[in-house]
Amino acid sequence: MEAKKEKTIHEQGVKARKVMLEIKDLYKSFGDNHVLNGFNLKLYQGENLVVMGKSGSGKSVMIKCLVGLMQPDKGFISVMGQEIKTLDRETLDALRSDIGFLFQGSALYDSMTVRENLEFPLRRHTEKVGVVTDTKPLVLEALESVGLAQTMNLMPAELSGGMKRRVALARALILRPKIILYDEPTSGLDPITAKEIIELMRHIQKKYDTSSLIITHDVDCARVISERMILLVDGINYAEGSYEELITSKDSKVEAFFKK
């Protein structure tokens, strides 16, 4: 396996940065279905890291373990220096306020306006932002950052798919997270809208210096957005490197990701 545990020039460069998130030897099984078999990952400060894997490869399971929604069978997970499994509920909730999450289906509350959707995390995490009596300036700033200030009083049903994704990103940004997790950010979008979302992700990363972990099966998204990529195969971080490094690999399992 020539690509397995590959050490790249780019990887050496990012190692000079602070580690924001680390996963070591993560295992998770469901009965006889061994989903994660010793998966490893490091996300560095200010980095856009893409994890690619086929459907059912364990990407979503890894994310759920990462934010404490699912318990791994064994392994080590550290977020900004704090080991997840050692945290009580209150401390874990506080840590989550520094993690923005863009869900695959946007996950907006259908019964709430756009403004109310963005106000929700402000009211949920008062320990971080305090009691905000006038939320409008914060909501407007977040919506302006994704180019949708005019949608504040609309309902999710009045938005297109791309607009919903932007509003969901604004909601993720409103607490000024240090890390953003993107779960299939371009899934279900037409090519033009997908390109707009990718450009917005790049803009957000530069403006706020966020560290981004992007789960995707979209090769074009990975090519444009990633500084570094991890290919999840057979439950492990099978290959790592930049897009340019991986696309030239002669390993058949790596080649399978890039064949049209």
Side-chain angles (χ1 to χ4, degrees), residues 204-221:
I204 293 300
Q205 190 272 334
K206 290 177 182 177
K207 182 176 180 179
Y208 296 105
D209 194 31
T210 54
S211 306
S212 303
L213 178 61
I214 302 139
I215 306 300
T216 187
H217 66 273
D218 184 340
V219 175
D220 288 332
C221 174

Side-chain angles (χ1 to χ4, degrees), residues 115-130:
R115 177 174 179 169
E116 290 168 338
N117 266 279
L118 268 69
E119 287 173 336
F120 187 83
L122 295 175
R123 291 170 176 162
R124 175 72 176 79
H125 293 287
T126 54
E127 77 288 343
K128 180 174 182 177
V129 297

